[in-house]
Amino acid sequence: MRDRKAAGDYLSNGISTITVRFLLIAVMLALPIFGSRVGVLQGIDNSLFAKRFQWAPRAATGNIVFVAIDKHSLDAVGTWPWPRSIYATLLDKLVASGVKDVFLDVDFSAFSSTEEDERLAAALARSGGGVLLPVFRQQEKASSSETAVTRPIPQLLQNAWPAFANVAMDADGIVRRFDLGSQLDGSPTQSAASALGGIASSSGSLLVDFSIRPDTVPTFSLSDVLNGTVPADAIRDRSVVVGASAAELKDIFAVPVYGAISGPLIHVLAAETLVQNRFLRMVDQAPLELVFAILLIVGVIRSRSAGMITMMAVGLLIVVIGEIGAFVLQSRDGILVGTAGPWSTLLFAWMLAFNERVDLGRMLVAIANTEARNTRRLMRRIIADSSDGVVAFDSNLRIVEASESAKALLQAGIGASLLGSTDAAIIDIVRNLVCKHDSEPGKVHTALVDFAGTGASQATHYEASVTISPIEQPDARPAVARSRFAGCLIIRDITARYDYEERLKRLSELDELTGLLNRREFASRLAALRGGALVAVLDIERFSSLCATLGRDVGDELLQAVAARLGRAFAGDLLAKLDGDHFGVAISATDATPIDNFADGLLALFEEPVHLSGAAIPISVHLGIARSGDAAPGAILNAAESALDAAKAAQGRRWCSFDPSTAVRQSRSRRLERDMRDALQNRQFFLLFQPQIDFTSGRLVGAEALIRWNHPEFGLISPAEFIPIAESSGLICDIGRWTLFEACTEAAAWPGEFGVAVNVSALQFEQSDIEADVREALSSSGLPSSRLCLELTESAFLDQGGGVIAKMRALRQTGIVIALDDFGTGYSSMSYLVDLPLDKLKIDQSFVRRMYGNPAVLEIVRAIISLAHGLNLQVVAEGVETELEAEALHRLGCETGQGYLFGRPQEAPRMLSRWSVEKRLSADV
């Protein structure tokens, strides 16, 4: 008590009216200069800016639409992250609806499955380059200032534009500004907001106009867009932002006015700010505020006779006029005026006026003493009632204050030693902090430690925060002052958080449906395995058909049943559901462990049918097996999947072990698939032409266009190798269209009435607009339609119904010729020959080459020619290599021949040069 009284007397004697006057004047003059650096004033200004936004709301233009990944969409898909094919489908629907730009605010920086990545890349290509994909600049390490850019995988960026999508927060954790762009690999790159807002700038930042209400932004659920329930007019000619709004995805940020909104919606509001030309700006107010402060000082000193009520009324009037002006400037002109500094100056002016009339020094001392007493009482009450364990201790490590919860936890009261009543981990931290205090006594030292306790029924987990702060003792000896400190220990029960984190960790490692490891965790544990191992990847045969027949719910039950069988048979081993109907199994094994036994044991698990929904469903599986020595630790799973692909491709094989040569072929196929699109753009494909000769006259009547690929690394690649790859990847339509245009352009320059035959893939005929392609090719090349022949195989119309026949008739109406290619090698039903609108029939070369020496084949050829003539079809024989074959075909009535006898596939000029002089067959023909 004596100490407190002495302090009060000291303050009372030292603080006079004149001293307070000069202090207040100094503060008033300093505020305009340094007030912008005061966090409290910045916070008040930010709150006022938000209120002015709220009082003058604006509606969005509607030019930017938000397609939200909301809870409804997550529930509809059922998994997260989503397969990239969903985004591909979404893009196709948006492009079909006529949208302008699309910003996919989704992280595509990690590779997915090859199929999923390819589907999304194809959709981006179809979109025509109007899609923005996000890139993020972030710190490489938490303790480093160096940054790196996270970007989508290169395959996706080939047909999309990168756009920075960082959401920058102020020091208080609230988003108020947005960047216009940054440097990406040395090139200026816009942010998503500036790109959608239609401005050219890619540097600097602007304030978001939060007077634009988020609820006026047209917003649709992504699942509704996929289902087609969103009218096309609602999004046509608008920019679209696709991103997460579901709280589960945690892409939520605090903003002024509206509390918390999703990150993609912030990009929309930022873009709307640019679209509406709301370029918010702040001006340097320091000179005006300094003049204001000087006027207030002069006014207060010159008006000592005025009453305090009058002074308050004048001050309130100034505040009202100033706030109205600031509101008008912000709402109408976009000028943000900070008024916290001027009003703080006004408050100090009122205190100066009060000081001129009252001895403010003594009043401040009384208030300070009262506040100190109340603060001590409040702190004691807070500590006593805290739900966390709070302990205050002195430099002797004795407990001086403790909450009730801390007393119960430590089993110790006030006055007890901290070292004898707490966990060993806390004791170590306290001793370590005391040592740090001894070496650096002027600093505050803090440490965190987790420790476990034992509750009544389950283990509990605690987090302890220990802080040691120096105590100022001006009159103490230096050695004593250095050793004195105050300590605080806060113990918090984090059992619920610990359990939640453990649950999240399990969810991130396990497949939700089966409870087995997911692909990422399985691969991670495989890479960390010590010793040898056998890894098997299996898939369920006809799983898609089963799901289509019995329903997806039964399919899920089947996956669970397979997981249960594997779990019983391989308890303790690594098991995973990789994706779809693929499962992974890894067991410890030496190099001498027979793979056959492992495979037979896995196959034997599925000899018995699976009982689902009261029915016994027989299933079979394919296996791919790899040994740990077959590949690097991180590539064992890929090796097993390569073996699985080989097993599924081999007729009658149930399992295969990893074969490096097969993997090389698969790798080559994947490489060719990746290179094929570039090959089309870089004109690595070219056409050769094989002549077609009239048997009667021996003259050239046309040629078949045959595509070839000159790969820059592998050289010439056979169509037998790259055409199936093109069909499986969907590029066959683009390649077929190029072939059609190139062949028509080349044939248009040929003399006479020579025709050109072009093969059309069944997939191309079904999936592309072949009628439009033919009309465009004929129009652009100038080739008469009668000189173009499209060659189709039976697979183009088998099981396709009347739609394909209608398309063929529409093509014939343009005047072109349609031929049935490779007749006799497929289904070759007589019934479809009656219905199909055909002009020619081509006999497959396998029959032509076996006519001699095999009377049965000769009779088949005779029957085919007779059948074709009966249907008024011309006949073309492929693979004619000898004069005897040509003679026989001519006698049988075949009109046209094609084969090495007349010429190998070659460039058009060489072919025409060879047949410039009319050539005939032997005189006997």
Side-chain angles (χ1 to χ4, degrees):
M1 183 65 71
R2 287 196 301 270
D3 292 341
R4 289 199 297 270
K5 184 176 181 181
D9 292 341
Y10 174 79
L11 289 173
S12 178
N13 294 330
I15 302 179
S16 65
T17 300
I18 297 177
T19 303
V20 173
R21 175 191 300 164
F22 283 113
L23 287 175
L24 290 173
I25 291 175
V27 172
M28 292 175 65
L29 294 176
L31 271 176
I33 301 173
F34 303 105
S36 60
R37 306 176 190 175
V38 179
V40 174
L41 297 183
Q42 290 179 354
I44 295 174
D45 277 335
N46 288 331
S47 299
L48 290 173
F49 295 154
K51 280 297 180 184
R52 294 167 195 156
F53 284 139
Q54 188 175 0
W55 292 335
R58 295 173 179 270
T61 62
N63 294 331
I64 304 174
V65 175
F66 180 31
V67 175
I69 304 174
D70 52 10
K71 189 177 188 304
H72 177 56
S73 303
L74 293 178
D75 293 341
V77 176
T79 61
W80 186 262
W82 283 351
R84 292 182 177 173
S85 56
I86 291 179
Y87 301 110
T89 304
L90 174 65
L91 280 179
D92 290 338
K93 287 183 176 291
L94 292 175
V95 172
S97 298
V99 302
K100 291 171 63 180
D101 298 321
V102 179
F103 172 45
L104 277 180
D105 191 10
V106 179
D107 185 4
F108 294 122
S109 60
F111 285 94
S112 180
S113 65
T114 302
E115 179 182 358
E116 293 293 327
D117 289 341
E118 286 295 335
R119 292 185 66 177
L120 179 54
L124 291 170
R126 290 192 295 271
S127 69
V131 179
L132 304 174
L133 294 183
V135 296
F136 305 93
R137 185 175 300 280
Q138 53 193 357
Q139 288 182 316
E140 291 187 344
K141 296 180 181 179
S143 60
S144 172
S145 60
E146 296 183 2
T147 61
V149 175
T150 300
R151 68 193 75 195
I153 60 176
Q155 184 179 9
L156 302 183
L157 275 181
Q158 289 179 353
N159 293 287
W161 295 96
F164 279 96
N166 292 83
V167 176
M169 294 182 290
D170 288 348
D172 58 358
I174 296 178
V175 177
R176 296 186 178 89
R177 308 184 70 88
F178 66 97
D179 292 332
L180 296 176
S182 184
Q183 292 289 321
L184 178 63
D185 298 332
S187 299
T189 301
Q190 290 185 301
S191 66
S194 61
L196 296 173
I199 68 171
S201 179
S202 60
S203 63
S205 64
L206 293 175
L207 290 165
V208 181
D209 185 2
F210 284 106
S211 65
I212 303 171
R213 292 165 45 202
D215 58 353
T216 63
V217 175
T219 302
F220 304 101
S221 174
L222 188 144
S223 62
D224 291 340
V225 178
L226 291 177
N227 295 335
T229 57
V230 176
D233 291 340
I235 57 178
R236 180 176 293 116
D237 296 328
R238 292 171 170 84
S239 298
V240 176
V241 175
V242 180
S245 69
E248 296 93 326
L249 302 182
K250 299 181 179 179
D251 193 9
I252 305 294
F253 298 89
V255 298
V257 184
Y258 310 110
I261 61 176
S262 64
L265 193 52
I266 293 176
H267 294 306
V268 174
L269 294 181
E272 282 283 350
T273 300
L274 300 176
V275 171
Q276 297 189 29
N277 291 320
R278 292 284 293 171
F279 294 91
L280 304 180
R281 59 195 184 278
M282 302 177 71
V283 298
D284 184 8
Q285 301 177 202
L288 291 176
E289 290 184 16
L290 189 59
V291 172
F292 179 66
I294 293 172
L295 291 176
L296 286 177
I297 293 169
V298 173
V300 167
I301 294 176
R302 291 175 62 88
S303 59
R304 289 191 180 97
S305 59
M308 290 302 298
I309 295 178
T310 302
M311 299 292 291
M312 292 179 63
V314 172
L316 288 176
L317 181 61
I318 293 174
V319 170
V320 171
I321 295 174
E323 283 300 322
I324 292 174
F327 171 75
V328 171
L329 287 173
Q330 182 169 324
S331 61
R332 188 185 65 184
D333 302 320
I335 300 175
L336 274 62
V337 178
T339 55
W343 304 158
S344 298
T345 304
L346 188 61
L347 177 61
F348 282 108
W350 184 87
M351 294 174 63
L352 178 61
F354 189 76
N355 181 68
E356 296 300 310
R357 293 157 178 81
V358 181
D359 190 352
L360 190 58
R362 293 183 181 276
M363 182 180 293
L364 290 176
V365 170
I367 292 174
N369 289 335
T370 303
E371 286 294 327
R373 289 192 296 271
N374 290 338
T375 299
R376 285 192 292 271
R377 292 193 188 102
L378 179 62
M379 291 303 298
R380 289 195 184 100
R381 176 53 58 190
I382 290 174
I383 291 174
D385 296 342
S386 175
S387 60
D388 293 335
V390 180
V391 176
F393 58 93
D394 59 18
S395 47
N396 295 320
L397 303 184
R398 294 285 176 181
I399 299 174
V400 295
E401 291 288 349
S403 64
E404 296 301 322
S405 55
K407 293 176 183 178
L409 181 62
L410 300 178
Q411 296 295 309
I414 295 175
S417 173
L418 184 65
L419 300 182
S421 55
T422 188
D423 188 88
I426 298 178
I427 293 174
D428 292 340
I429 289 294
V430 170
R431 287 175 171 166
N432 185 38
L433 291 181
V434 171
C435 293
K436 288 185 177 180
H437 172 77
D438 291 340
S439 60
E440 296 180 290
K443 293 185 177 180
V444 177
H445 302 280
T446 302
L448 281 173
V449 64
D450 293 346
F451 65 97
T454 54
S457 59
Q458 62 179 4
T460 53
H461 298 270
Y462 298 98
E463 176 187 78
S465 172
V466 183
T467 302
I468 287 181
S469 305
I471 297 177
E472 293 185 9
Q473 301 178 86
D475 299 331
R477 297 190 306 275
V480 176
R482 289 171 60 88
S483 64
R484 296 297 300 275
F485 60 82
C488 179
L489 166 65
I490 300 176
I491 303 174
R492 179 166 297 163
D493 189 337
I494 60 168
T495 303
R497 188 183 78 187
Y498 181 85
D499 293 342
Y500 178 70
E501 291 174 350
E502 287 296 309
R503 186 163 62 254
L504 284 182
K505 183 174 182 293
R506 288 194 298 272
L507 288 175
S508 69
E509 294 175 348
L510 302 181
D511 173 68
E512 183 179 0
L513 178 65
T514 62
L516 303 182
L517 298 176
N518 57 32
R519 182 186 185 89
R520 183 182 62 256
E521 186 64 21
F522 184 69
S524 175
R525 297 192 185 186
L526 276 180
L529 276 180
R530 302 296 181 186
L534 283 176
V535 179
V537 175
L538 63 89
D539 79 332
I540 303 171
E541 190 175 352
R542 300 182 301 106
F543 178 73
S544 298
S545 301
L546 287 172
C547 290
T549 304
L550 303 176
R552 173 57 62 181
D553 292 340
V554 176
D556 289 344
E557 290 184 39
L558 176 59
L559 295 175
Q560 290 171 333
V562 170
R565 286 195 182 184
L566 292 173
R568 289 191 296 269
F570 296 96
D573 294 314
L574 291 181
L575 297 174
K577 179 179 176 292
L578 301 175
D579 50 55
D581 60 332
H582 286 198
F583 291 83
V585 181
I587 64 171
S588 297
T590 64
D591 292 342
T593 302
I595 293 182
D596 294 3
N597 295 345
F598 180 43
D600 293 341
L602 268 171
L603 293 174
L605 291 177
F606 303 98
E607 293 177 352
E608 296 293 328
V610 176
H611 295 275
L612 300 175
S613 301
I617 300 176
I619 63 171
S620 60
V621 299
H622 286 100
L623 301 178
I625 302 176
R627 197 184 293 274
S628 55
D630 292 339
I636 304 174
L637 180 57
N638 292 337
E641 289 177 324
S642 173
L644 175 62
D645 292 339
K648 293 166 68 175
Q651 191 72 23
R653 291 291 300 272
R654 297 288 302 281
W655 69 275
C656 281
S657 60
F658 175 71
D659 180 8
S661 61
T662 301
V664 169
R665 289 194 299 272
Q666 293 172 341
S667 176
R668 176 182 168 93
S669 296
R670 288 191 293 268
R671 169 71 183 282
L672 293 180
E673 182 177 342
R674 290 196 304 269
D675 294 349
M676 200 170 293
R677 189 178 300 278
D678 290 338
L680 197 59
Q681 296 175 351
N682 298 334
R683 299 192 65 83
Q684 295 172 13
F685 291 109
F686 63 95
L687 295 184
L688 298 179
F689 297 88
Q690 188 169 33
Q692 295 176 336
I693 307 303
D694 180 75
F695 280 127
T696 300
S697 65
R699 295 176 179 175
L700 177 71
V701 293
E704 180 179 1
L706 302 172
I707 189 171
R708 296 292 187 267
W709 183 6
N710 186 15
H711 192 280
E713 181 177 342
F714 302 138
L716 286 176
I717 300 176
S718 168
E721 181 179 6
F722 71 78
I723 290 296
I725 297 174
E727 290 180 332
S728 65
S729 65
L731 280 173
I732 190 64
C733 295
D734 294 335
I735 293 176
R737 188 173 188 273
W738 178 88
T739 303
L740 175 64
F741 277 69
E742 196 76 9
C744 290
T745 301
E746 183 67 43
W750 295 350
E753 294 298 321
F754 298 150
V756 64
V758 179
N759 287 286
V760 178
S761 164
L763 286 174
Q764 179 189 0
F765 194 81
E766 176 188 354
Q767 297 178 4
S768 68
D769 190 351
I770 188 68
E771 302 167 58
D773 290 344
V774 167
R775 286 194 296 269
E776 186 179 353
L778 294 175
S779 175
S780 62
S781 65
L783 181 72
S785 58
S786 59
R787 293 173 59 188
L788 174 63
C789 175
L790 296 186
E791 296 187 356
L792 308 175
T793 58
E794 297 169 9
S795 57
F797 45 82
L798 286 179
D799 300 326
Q800 298 297 319
V804 171
I805 296 177
K807 187 180 289 190
M808 294 173 67
R809 286 176 177 160
L811 286 169
R812 285 190 72 204
Q813 288 176 0
T814 64
I816 70 169
V817 178
I818 297 181
L820 177 60
D821 197 10
D822 298 336
F823 184 79
T825 60
Y827 184 65
S828 299
S829 169
M830 300 298 106
S831 61
Y832 65 69
L833 287 178
V834 178
D835 299 324
L836 292 178
L838 298 171
D839 299 289
K840 292 182 181 181
L841 187 148
K842 296 189 74 173
I843 304 175
D844 188 71
Q845 59 184 346
S846 61
F847 291 100
V848 174
R849 292 173 181 172
R850 292 188 295 159
M851 287 192 308
Y852 275 93
N854 194 330
V857 175
L858 183 62
E859 290 303 319
I860 291 174
V861 173
R862 187 194 308 275
I864 292 174
I865 296 173
S866 177
L867 174 66
H869 289 166
L871 296 173
N872 293 321
L873 302 179
Q874 295 183 19
V875 181
V876 180
E878 295 180 301
V880 181
E881 297 186 354
T882 66
E883 294 283 355
L884 292 177
E885 292 170 353
E887 178 184 356
L889 289 167
H890 184 44
R891 284 202 309 269
L892 293 174
C894 180
E895 290 88 351
T896 309
Q898 175 182 339
Y900 286 177
L901 175 64
F902 312 116
R904 294 177 176 271
Q906 54 193 319
E907 296 177 351
R910 294 185 60 188
M911 180 195 70
L912 294 173
S913 175
R914 177 180 177 184
W915 289 94
S916 60
V917 178
E918 294 185 358
K919 295 192 175 183
R920 297 181 178 275
L921 303 179
S922 63
D924 297 332
V925 177

